Amino acid sequence: MSTDSVRTHTPDGVNRRIDARVEKCVQHMAEHMDRAVISRYLEKLEKEWDLNRVVTVAASAATVLGLVLAAKDGQKWRIVSGVAAGLLLQHGVLGFGPLAELVRALGVRTRREMDLEKFALKALRGDFERIPHEGGPLARANAALVAAQS
């Protein structure tokens, strides 16, 4: 799934609200916080669920719920499972769908959007200053990969 597909199918107002939240956070950290605070916030970001995870878990839970209710209270509940599985299939094939639209409206971000915030905060924290300006391209490339992973 392309993250650009998610942003393309998301109303502009929702995208702007999500982008503004990231910008506000990075600006706040730049003005008021130190390395330790940024590090703690980065740890929190690592635990945040992205849009694909939320959609997958929600559709799977609805599918299981429909099957359980169908076994207990009648076959009509199988419709819930079918609809949820269909929405999950649509999301997987097209990269977006009604369930993703709902989750996105709640402010859930894509992995790419979350990574943008993480890299901006890592740059503020000074992680990328460790990349040497001297040495060959291989040394700089290795240092950049190490910095990006930290």
Side-chain angles (χ1 to χ4, degrees):
M1 174 178 87
S2 167
T3 304
D4 294 334
S5 174
V6 170
R7 288 188 65 86
T8 299
H9 288 90
T10 300
D12 289 338
V14 174
N15 284 333
R16 280 194 302 273
R17 191 175 77 235
I18 289 170
D19 293 343
R21 190 176 91 199
V22 170
E23 289 173 18
K24 183 178 177 183
C25 174
V26 174
Q27 288 171 356
H28 178 75
M29 292 287 188
E31 293 171 2
H32 304 290
M33 303 300 173
D34 61 11
R35 288 180 55 89
V37 173
I38 292 172
S39 294
R40 283 193 299 275
Y41 186 76
L42 284 167
E43 288 173 14
K44 178 184 165 196
L45 278 178
E46 288 296 327
K47 296 174 185 168
E48 184 177 331
W49 285 22
D50 69 358
L51 181 116
N52 284 332
R53 187 174 186 187
V54 172
V55 166
T56 301
V57 169
S60 298
T63 300
V64 170
L65 178 65
L67 292 173
V68 168
L69 291 173
K72 187 176 183 179
D73 292 330
Q75 295 300 312
K76 65 182 179 198
W77 288 104
R78 290 174 61 191
I79 294 170
V80 172
S81 294
V83 170
L87 290 172
L88 186 58
L89 178 64
Q90 179 184 22
H91 181 77
V93 171
L94 300 178
F96 204 75
L99 187 54
E101 188 174 344
L102 172 66
V103 169
R104 187 80 169 146
L106 296 172
V108 177
R109 301 184 288 169
T110 64
R111 173 61 45 201
R112 186 174 183 186
E113 291 165 335
M114 294 163 65
D115 286 344
L116 173 71
E117 182 177 17
K118 286 190 326 192
F119 288 122
L121 292 172
K122 286 181 178 189
L124 277 178
R125 190 172 64 178
D127 291 11
F128 304 119
E129 294 173 6
R130 294 180 275 182
I131 300 171
H133 297 286
E134 59 279 339
L138 184 57
R140 289 193 308 277
N142 286 336
L145 288 170
V146 168
Q149 292 171 353
S150 60

